[in-house]
């Protein structure tokens, strides 16, 4: 897979995954100091997840209708800016600002990850799609494992605000990297529609032959 677009998407999945888990560990550390109740901690974290679930169906429909690159750019920018809410939360010891961060980053993730997954068939050849999906799943799993480990190490050697500043820089770098994606979606979608029509004709041809036997 020497396609530049493929590497951009894989790096995007890796960085976004690491950033997500850095944020989760950072959130737990912040809540540990500010919220004594474990139940309230779970409720606060659940609010962000619920926001992502609620907008998920709408995000899926919009991703299908709009340019995948544009969706990734907008959601990537919103995700980067959401980290500023967390920096304010740390500065002011405010759980409310943290809630704003959780909701914003989960909503942006609800748009970013479907757009990234939908972009995969647009940047690889059909025969490479299965291999690419396998690599994509491995990268996603690796980002979770490494993200959790890195967050634990970073929390020992740096402050919580420095952790989120690193996360912000990574997200901004990913946002700029997304500009390098080159996807001619109209041409690719026409090709996919042609392939679907061919597949439909292949499925219908045995039926046509069967009809002729009875004529």
């Amino acid at each position: 897979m020497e396609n530049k677009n493929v590497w951009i998407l894989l790096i995007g999945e890796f960085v976004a995954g690491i950033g997500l888990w850095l944020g989760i560990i950072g959130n737990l550390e912040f809540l540990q100091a500010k919220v004594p109740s474990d139940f309230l901690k779970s409720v606060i974290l659940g609010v962000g997840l619920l926001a992502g679930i609620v907008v998920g169906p709408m995000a899926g429909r919009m991703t299908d209708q709009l340019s995948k690159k544009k969706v990734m750019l907008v959601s990537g920018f919103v995700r980067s800016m959401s980290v500023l809410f967390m920096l304010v939360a740390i500065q002011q010891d405010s759980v409310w600002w943290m809630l704003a961060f959780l909701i914003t980053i989960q909503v942006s993730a609800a748009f970013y990850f479907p757009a990234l997954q939908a972009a995969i068939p647009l940047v690889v050849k059909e025969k490479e799609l299965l291999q690419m999906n396998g690599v994509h799943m491995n990268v996603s799993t690796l980002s979770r494992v490494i993200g959790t480990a890195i967050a634990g190490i970073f929390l020992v050697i740096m402050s919580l605000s420095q952790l989120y500043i690193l996360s912000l820089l990574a997200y901004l770098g990913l946002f700029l990297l997304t500009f390098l994606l080159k996807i001619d979606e109209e041409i690719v979608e026409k090709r996919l529609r042609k392939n679907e029509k061919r597949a439909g004709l292949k499925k219908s041809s045995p039926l046509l032959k069967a009809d002729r036997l009875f004529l």
Side-chain angles (χ1 to χ4, degrees), residues 32 36 51 56 62 64 66 77 79 84 101 115 121-122 131-132 134 137 168 173 185 198:
Q32 190 70 26
M62 291 182 66
D64 288 338
L66 301 175
F77 179 77
R79 179 177 54 199
L84 298 178
F101 163 73
L122 305 180
Q131 181 188 1
M132 176 60 182
M137 288 179 63
L168 173 61
E185 295 193 27
R198 288 174 186 170

Side-chain angles (χ1 to χ4, degrees), residues 119-205:
I120 290 174
L122 305 180
V123 300
V124 296
K125 297 176 182 178
E126 191 175 356
K127 62 182 181 181
E128 296 177 341
L129 188 56
L130 186 62
Q131 181 188 1
M132 176 60 182
N133 284 331
V135 173
H136 175 258
M137 288 179 63
N138 289 334
V139 169
S140 178
T141 303
L142 195 62
S143 69
R144 295 174 190 175
V145 175
I146 293 178
T148 306
I150 288 177
I153 295 169
F154 281 0
L155 283 173
V156 174
I157 62 176
M158 64 177 64
S159 67
L160 196 58
S161 58
Q162 288 174 327
L163 177 70
Y164 281 102
I165 288 171
L166 279 178
S167 180
L168 173 61
L169 292 175
Y171 283 146
L172 287 173
L174 179 56
F175 172 70
L176 295 174
L177 186 64
T178 307
F179 276 104
L180 300 178
L181 266 177
K182 292 182 179 179
I183 306 174
D184 195 337
E185 295 193 27
E186 290 184 4
I187 291 176
V188 176
E189 285 176 2
K190 284 179 182 177
R191 185 194 69 190
L192 292 175
R193 280 196 294 270
K194 284 181 181 178
N195 289 339
E196 287 175 0
K197 286 180 181 178
R198 288 174 186 170
L201 287 171
K202 286 179 180 178
K203 287 179 181 178
S204 63
S205 60

